[in-house]
Amino acid sequence: MESSTWKDSSSGHKNPKVPLEVYRPPSYLAPAVKERKTRTSKPKTRSGCKTCKIRRVKCDEGKPDCARCLKFGVTCDGYETKKPKREIVAIVPKRELAIKEQSPPTLQLQSDLKFHLPGEAEDTQYFRFFRDETAYDLSGGFFDEPIWNQMVLQSCHEAPCIQKIALSIAGLSRAMKANSFKEAQDPHVEYALQQYNKSLRQFRLFVSSNGPPDERMLLMAGLLIYTFECLQGNLENGIEQIKSMMSVFKDMRSLKQLDYAHLHCKGSFENELVSELARLDGQLLGRVYDRDIGNTTIIGIKHGHVWDPFTIPDCFTDMRTARRFLEHLQHLSRPDVVHDDKAQRVAEPTSEGPEISRGEEHVRIMRASLAKWWSAFKPTYDFTCTPAGDDNFVPAATLRIAALATSLILQTNMTMDLCNANESWADTSLLTTPRGTSMFESTATEMLDLCWKVVAHRRFVKGFVFAGGIMPPLWCLLVMARKRELLISVVELFREIVPRKEGYWNSVTCLQTAEGVLAKWDMDHAEA
């Protein structure tokens, strides 16, 4: 920029409009002319330390600090190293799928693609870190979800703006793992901010380039920008950014809304992107302190085909399919969906039996569907509990915990229609078994035991995970638990997983809230 090269007169710049005599000192201030001494010519060397090179003095090349710098009491900045040659990095992630029998999704991906970074070797190092570490962390351990392990990597190859955003996320991720994220001059954070600014410039070039741009890159950019902002702690800004990208995408496609169906995804590049965005939308819809709690979408996705008939298979052959069916059941278990006019309709009540509300019948169907889901998923889960399938235990156990949490929601009045205060069936008929034992306590105990196993597993990520994992189920327990032992376990689990983040779920904030709930429980029972 011009401002960085301009110099004023005080720094030695001579304005050509001013006569040269103005800059000449008076004769009585001029130093006496001395005979100039000649200097013995010696061969030049370029291997000295950086400090001596700047001062233009000879360096003895001592290590770690040269003697000249030590003598004058200045910091020796070390020696330049030869720049390594630019590398070609394989785009395929190094982590392999543990369950080999899964059928690959129909994605137009080049599995043997070589990723050549045109920039510095430093970029290659950060990209390798993103490929080998960050992508796995963001997926939450779900090896078979291609969005992070394949599609983002290929998008980096196709669009420089995506590449820069991925590198910026890798920089923040490295800083978090080095516990230096909050340091003012951390090199990883500085690199991340530089790459993020470059990505915004590259994105403007991408949109304004000749010819119609690939609209899918808009969704990918929104996904990654949201991730970067979440890592920075700017959740609301991330939501606004991704909503803006969605709006531009729909305008370019001439769409009024973006439809999504959990069970109708064809596995294409775009459908996988929309699936991840739909997971994000569902997560944001469940925000505890959301002022717009009645909304059916936050970022502009319509969950279509909700009431289409579906059949849960007898046995799931892969976790991707099991995950999608569970997400569909979770969506159908939302209170606003349970009491929708299109919910499961029942026959008119007769004098032979009690009157059954539409919501109660729908909840019973959802509970039966969850039991069917668990029966179909149990063989896969049991396999991950063996040494041969241990690599996939974390994602399998996470699905089991989420299913148990959904079951708890259906067992209690959390599915109650808030407009109907007389609806008490969820507290009575669903809360206990015919033998009178507490279904809530047994389910909660199983959830907590499983959470401890997940947290103790070698593949559990304590960094940033894009989608929800065990923290939303733990929050459900915190809200519904009525025994001190359960509350203590929830508090200890939140304390154990710090500093993990699952999207907008922050373990530090959840821990503070859980400690407050436990303190209030102790205070209330002490007074009683």
Side-chain angles (χ1 to χ4, degrees), residues 203-224:
F203 185 76
R204 286 192 289 268
L205 292 175
F206 174 78
V207 174
S208 61
S209 60
N210 295 330
D214 188 348
E215 301 97 331
R216 300 174 303 175
M217 294 299 110
L218 295 172
L219 299 182
M220 182 65 74
L223 201 68
L224 294 178

Side-chain angles (χ1 to χ4, degrees), residues 104-115:
T106 56
L107 298 175
Q108 292 73 35
L109 298 174
Q110 304 174 36
S111 59
D112 59 343
L113 183 65
K114 300 297 182 180
F115 193 94

Side-chain angles (χ1 to χ4, degrees), residues 109-302:
L109 298 174
Q110 304 174 36
S111 59
D112 59 343
L113 183 65
K114 300 297 182 180
F115 193 94
H116 178 70
L117 289 171
E120 299 292 335
E122 184 180 31
D123 296 344
T124 301
Q125 296 174 3
Y126 277 96
F127 175 77
R128 184 185 290 110
F129 184 87
F130 182 90
R131 181 197 64 184
D132 298 340
E133 301 290 338
T134 308
Y136 169 77
D137 293 349
L138 291 172
S139 70
F142 285 87
F143 291 102
D144 52 351
E145 289 292 350
I147 180 69
W148 298 106
N149 296 315
Q150 297 180 39
M151 295 174 60
V152 172
L153 304 180
Q154 179 158 332
S155 299
C156 290
H157 176 76
E158 296 175 355
C161 59
I162 302 298
Q163 175 197 131
K164 296 300 182 185
I165 303 176
L167 293 177
S168 67
I169 294 174
L172 293 183
S173 180
R174 288 187 69 174
M176 290 184 68
K177 291 197 173 186
N179 294 323
S180 59
F181 183 76
K182 294 184 178 180
E183 294 184 9
Q185 296 182 344
D186 179 73
H188 298 313
V189 176
E190 290 184 356
Y191 175 85
L193 296 176
Q194 291 172 2
Q195 296 300 319
Y196 186 67
N197 291 332
K198 291 179 181 179
S199 71
L200 298 180
R201 293 195 295 268
Q202 291 282 356
F203 185 76
R204 286 192 289 268
L205 292 175
F206 174 78
V207 174
S208 61
S209 60
N210 295 330
D214 188 348
E215 301 97 331
R216 300 174 303 175
M217 294 299 110
L218 295 172
L219 299 182
M220 182 65 74
L223 201 68
L224 294 178
I225 289 175
Y226 170 84
T227 301
F228 180 86
E229 295 293 347
C230 278
L231 283 169
Q232 287 277 75
N234 304 324
L235 174 64
E236 296 304 323
N237 189 34
I239 295 176
E240 291 303 317
Q241 292 285 355
I242 201 169
K243 288 169 63 176
S244 176
M245 294 293 182
M246 287 285 293
S247 178
V248 175
F249 174 82
K250 289 188 290 186
D251 288 344
M252 296 182 71
R253 290 288 182 90
S254 299
L255 299 173
K256 293 183 178 179
Q257 60 189 19
L258 187 60
D259 293 330
Y260 171 76
H262 298 92
L263 305 181
H264 295 265
C265 185
K266 300 178 181 180
S268 66
F269 196 106
E270 183 172 319
N271 284 335
E272 291 293 339
L273 268 173
V274 175
S275 294
E276 200 67 10
L277 291 171
R279 291 189 181 105
L280 170 62
D281 196 43
Q283 182 186 140
L284 295 176
L285 281 170
R287 285 187 296 177
V288 179
Y289 302 110
D290 189 3
R291 296 178 180 177
D292 301 323
I293 196 66
N295 283 352
T296 58
T297 180
I298 298 297
I299 62 177
I301 292 181
K302 180 183 179 182

Side-chain angles (χ1 to χ4, degrees), residues 236-410:
E236 296 304 323
N237 189 34
I239 295 176
E240 291 303 317
Q241 292 285 355
I242 201 169
K243 288 169 63 176
S244 176
M245 294 293 182
M246 287 285 293
S247 178
V248 175
F249 174 82
K250 289 188 290 186
D251 288 344
M252 296 182 71
R253 290 288 182 90
S254 299
L255 299 173
K256 293 183 178 179
Q257 60 189 19
L258 187 60
D259 293 330
Y260 171 76
H262 298 92
L263 305 181
H264 295 265
C265 185
K266 300 178 181 180
S268 66
F269 196 106
E270 183 172 319
N271 284 335
E272 291 293 339
L273 268 173
V274 175
S275 294
E276 200 67 10
L277 291 171
R279 291 189 181 105
L280 170 62
D281 196 43
Q283 182 186 140
L284 295 176
L285 281 170
R287 285 187 296 177
V288 179
Y289 302 110
D290 189 3
R291 296 178 180 177
D292 301 323
I293 196 66
N295 283 352
T296 58
T297 180
I298 298 297
I299 62 177
I301 292 181
K302 180 183 179 182
H303 295 261
H305 308 282
V306 173
W307 302 113
D308 285 359
F310 66 94
T311 302
I312 299 176
D314 294 332
C315 183
F316 292 116
T317 58
D318 60 90
M319 275 193 288
R320 294 185 73 244
T321 305
R323 187 183 188 186
R324 290 185 180 280
F325 270 90
L326 179 58
E327 289 170 342
H328 188 61
L329 294 177
Q330 287 176 317
H331 185 76
L332 290 175
S333 301
R334 286 177 51 86
D336 59 318
V337 178
V338 169
H339 299 278
D340 190 355
D341 292 338
K342 297 180 181 179
Q344 178 67 33
R345 298 186 179 279
V346 296
E348 293 294 332
T350 63
S351 57
E352 298 178 357
E355 181 178 352
I356 300 176
S357 70
R358 177 181 302 163
E360 180 179 354
E361 179 64 18
H362 177 74
V363 168
R364 293 185 186 278
I365 293 175
M366 289 300 99
R367 292 181 65 209
S369 298
L370 271 178
K372 174 67 174 176
W373 178 91
W374 171 236
S375 176
F377 182 64
K378 192 174 185 302
T380 300
Y381 173 78
D382 290 341
F383 172 73
T384 64
C385 295
T386 65
D390 183 65
D391 280 347
N392 273 301
F393 173 76
V394 170
T398 301
L399 291 182
R400 173 60 175 161
I401 294 169
L404 290 171
T406 306
S407 176
L408 279 184
I409 292 174
L410 293 172

